[in-house]
């Protein structure tokens, strides 16, 4: 039984090679290579064109290429009975922790200011903030956010995490949950790191009301999805001088359009959705495992709740 692989814009050859190595004998095809559409039960997707799966009447499972499954769930043409699964990979978490550390360290040691000074030959010292003086709030302490919060705490930062449900595990960092505890959590976040999934409840969560609850001169790091942030509210908050700046890795529209005001804003740093890149060789075995489970009628791994949206 063939597996189909669909992605808008990505070069899929590395993926196909990795899947063939992990599952020799399993046919991996692009949708238009499939003659017998009814033979397909498993699909792999990243930002597929909405509606494409309607051609495959016996599809049972769609796997995301990455941790997020919002790009699958946003397709209104995917019937409720189709199981959605996603990637959980320690490399995604450790790469994300390295990226978050890089952004925070660069900010507290004032690197962007020094890079700018170099452009004009300015020799001027600026004070820095120490790790132990810096409070970080991680919104979303799931597979990735929990690891990021743990590494930041081990590095010496003061760390709090916020999630939907209460956590009973031993606290390596301060834990908050639910809307009621959000203001207290935000009040202690000099750096707010967003690692939430995009769901109906988290879309637009980083809005004026939330930003106003951050300490003065807080810095936003958005690594979740662009649509978590209300762009005009972020720009307004920075321009009023309440939030000092932001590092944004994800955007409502990707690639970020050339005319977008973020590009020219001096307090906004931009990276092109590279905080943590899925490694095909690392994750192909778990995709093949789910494919095999589907064939064997077994329970799938890393399933996404259609109800919760993550
Ligand atoms: P998980 O599903 O493992 O974790 C999600 C976390 O968010 C959980 O802690 C969950 O709470 C919390 N959460 C969800 N909804 C709410 C809510 N309404 N209020 C408060 N907390 C909420 O996801 P991952 O950690 O694997 O990934 C997180 C996201 O990171 C992905 O969805 C993706 O968008 C993004 N990502 C970005 C990448 C990049 O390169 N920029 C790379 C990889 C991922 P609870 O624990 O209570 O369920
Ligand atoms: C992911 C991503 O969700 O790269 O894996 O954004």
């Amino acid at each position: 039984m063939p597996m189909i692989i669909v992605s808008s814009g990505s070069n899929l050859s590395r993926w196909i090679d990795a899947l063939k190595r992990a599952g020799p004998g399993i046919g991996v095809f692009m949708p238009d290579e499939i003659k017998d559409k009814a033979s397909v039960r498993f699909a792999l997707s990243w930002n597929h064109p909405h509606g494409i799966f309607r051609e495959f009447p016996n599809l049972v499972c769609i796997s995301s290429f990455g941790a997020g499954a919002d790009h699958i769930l946003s397709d209104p043409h995917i019937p409720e009975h189709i199981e959605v699964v996603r990637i959980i990979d320690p490399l995604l978490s450790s790469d994300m922790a390295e990226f978050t550390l890089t952004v925070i360290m660069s900010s507290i040691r004032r690197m962007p200011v020094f890079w700018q000074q170099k452009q004009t030959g300015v020799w001027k010292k600026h004070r820095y903030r120490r790790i132990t003086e810096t409070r970080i709030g991680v919104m979303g302490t799931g597979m990735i956010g929990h690891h990021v919060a743990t590494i930041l705490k081990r590095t010496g930062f003061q760390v709090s995490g916020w999630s939907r449900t209460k956590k009973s595990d031993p606290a390596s960092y301060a834990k908050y949950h639910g809307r009621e505890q959000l203001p207290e959590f935000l009040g202690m976040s000099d750096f707010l790191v967003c690692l939430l999934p995009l769901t109906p409840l988290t879309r637009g969560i980083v809005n004026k009301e939330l930003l106003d609850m951050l300490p003065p001169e807080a810095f936003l790091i958005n690594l979740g999805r662009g649509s978590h942030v209300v762009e005009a509210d972020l720009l307004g908050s920075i321009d009023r001088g309440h939030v000092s700046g932001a590092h944004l890795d994800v955007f409502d529209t990707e690639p970020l359009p050339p005319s977008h005001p973020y590009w020219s804003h001096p307090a906004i740093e931009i990276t092109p959705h590279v905080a943590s890149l899925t490694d095909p060789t690392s994750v192909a075995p778990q995709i093949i495992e789910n494919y095999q489970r589907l064939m064997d009628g077994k329970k799938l791994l890393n399933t996404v709740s259609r109800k919760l949206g993550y």
Side-chain angles (χ1 to χ4, degrees), residues 183-297:
E184 193 184 343
F185 161 80
L186 292 170
M188 297 194 306
S189 302
D190 299 319
F191 284 82
L192 181 67
V193 180
C194 177
L195 273 166
L196 289 165
L198 185 64
T199 73
L201 289 180
T202 64
R203 182 178 291 277
I205 191 168
V206 182
N207 56 20
K208 180 176 184 303
E209 194 193 345
L210 179 146
L211 294 167
D212 282 351
M213 287 191 259
L214 291 170
E217 300 193 10
F219 189 90
L220 171 71
I221 303 176
N222 187 21
L223 311 174
R225 287 290 179 261
S227 305
H228 285 131
V229 175
V230 178
E231 295 182 346
D233 290 4
L234 174 62
L235 290 166
S237 188
I238 296 175
D239 293 341
R240 273 187 289 118
H242 179 61
V243 164
S244 62
H247 186 107
L248 307 174
D249 183 60
V250 283
F251 303 90
D252 240 344
T253 306
E254 294 183 6
L256 185 65
S259 60
H260 197 286
Y262 282 163
W263 283 115
S264 54
H265 200 296
I268 291 183
E269 300 166 9
I270 290 173
T271 43
H273 202 145
V274 291
S276 184
L277 299 171
T278 314
D279 181 329
T281 304
S282 178
V283 305
Q286 65 179 271
I287 295 167
I288 295 297
E289 158 105 37
N290 259 338
Y291 169 92
Q292 210 58 64
R293 283 173 168 261
L294 182 71
M295 295 304 110
D296 299 343

Side-chain angles (χ1 to χ4, degrees), residues 30-41 55-59:
M30 313 284 185
D32 54 7
E33 291 173 323
I34 300 280
K35 299 269 175 303
D36 177 12
K37 306 278 188 210
S39 64
V40 174
R41 294 173 65 209
E55 295 174 43
F56 300 90
N58 295 323
L59 197 62

Side-chain angles (χ1 to χ4, degrees), residues 86 141-144 162 164-165 167 223 225 249 276 310:
R86 70 187 191 101
T141 52
M143 296 312 297
I144 298 177
W162 183 71
R164 189 178 59 83
T165 56
K167 303 292 169 216
L223 311 174
R225 287 290 179 261
D249 183 60
S276 184
Y310 74 100

Side-chain angles (χ1 to χ4, degrees), residues 2-17 19-20 27-37 39-40 42-44 52-53 55-56 65:
M3 175 190 300
I4 52 165
I5 182 165
V6 194
S7 166
S8 301
S10 307
N11 175 356
L12 292 177
S13 59
R14 278 186 71 212
W15 278 95
I16 293 172
D17 290 349
L19 289 164
K20 287 192 168 159
V28 183
F29 300 96
M30 313 284 185
D32 54 7
E33 291 173 323
I34 300 280
K35 299 269 175 303
D36 177 12
K37 306 278 188 210
S39 64
V40 174
F42 192 98
L44 186 57
I52 193 167
F53 295 125
E55 295 174 43
F56 300 90
F65 277 52

Side-chain angles (χ1 to χ4, degrees), residues 47-275:
N47 282 331
H48 65 266
H50 284 187
I52 193 167
F53 295 125
R54 279 186 297 193
E55 295 174 43
F56 300 90
N58 295 323
L59 197 62
V60 179
C61 173
I62 305 175
S63 172
S64 173
F65 277 52
D70 49 294
H71 58 102
I72 300 174
L73 301 181
S74 61
D75 181 346
H77 306 290
I78 295 178
E80 281 300 315
H81 70 267
I82 291 192
E83 286 236 54
V84 176
V85 298
R86 70 187 191 101
I87 296 300
I88 295 180
D89 182 27
L91 271 186
L92 267 182
S93 301
S94 55
D95 287 0
M96 191 64 89
E98 288 178 14
F99 185 87
T100 311
L101 260 173
T102 305
V103 173
I104 296 171
M105 289 307 302
S106 156
S107 174
I108 64 177
R109 297 307 301 235
R110 314 299 299 273
M111 290 303 166
V113 178
F114 295 125
W115 289 326
Q116 232 153 24
Q117 287 187 186
K118 179 172 179 280
Q119 308 294 319
T120 44
V122 173
W123 178 276
K124 185 170 177 228
K125 294 177 198 272
H126 294 276
R127 291 245 36 114
Y128 48 83
R129 191 202 284 249
R130 296 192 179 86
I131 287 177
T132 50
E133 299 161 350
T134 304
R135 300 172 302 171
I136 301 173
V138 179
M139 291 178 94
T141 52
M143 296 312 297
I144 298 177
H146 171 70
H147 181 74
V148 169
T150 305
I151 296 294
L152 292 171
K153 176 73 184 179
R154 269 190 217 147
T155 309
F157 291 102
Q158 300 173 40
V159 181
S160 309
W162 183 71
S163 56
R164 189 178 59 83
T165 56
K166 190 170 176 0
K167 303 292 169 216
S168 55
D169 50 331
S172 61
Y173 52 88
K175 297 198 170 92
Y176 296 84
H177 69 279
R179 285 281 167 166
E180 269 173 32
Q181 296 187 357
L182 185 59
E184 193 184 343
F185 161 80
L186 292 170
M188 297 194 306
S189 302
D190 299 319
F191 284 82
L192 181 67
V193 180
C194 177
L195 273 166
L196 289 165
L198 185 64
T199 73
L201 289 180
T202 64
R203 182 178 291 277
I205 191 168
V206 182
N207 56 20
K208 180 176 184 303
E209 194 193 345
L210 179 146
L211 294 167
D212 282 351
M213 287 191 259
L214 291 170
E217 300 193 10
F219 189 90
L220 171 71
I221 303 176
N222 187 21
L223 311 174
R225 287 290 179 261
S227 305
H228 285 131
V229 175
V230 178
E231 295 182 346
D233 290 4
L234 174 62
L235 290 166
S237 188
I238 296 175
D239 293 341
R240 273 187 289 118
H242 179 61
V243 164
S244 62
H247 186 107
L248 307 174
D249 183 60
V250 283
F251 303 90
D252 240 344
T253 306
E254 294 183 6
L256 185 65
S259 60
H260 197 286
Y262 282 163
W263 283 115
S264 54
H265 200 296
I268 291 183
E269 300 166 9
I270 290 173
T271 43
H273 202 145
V274 291

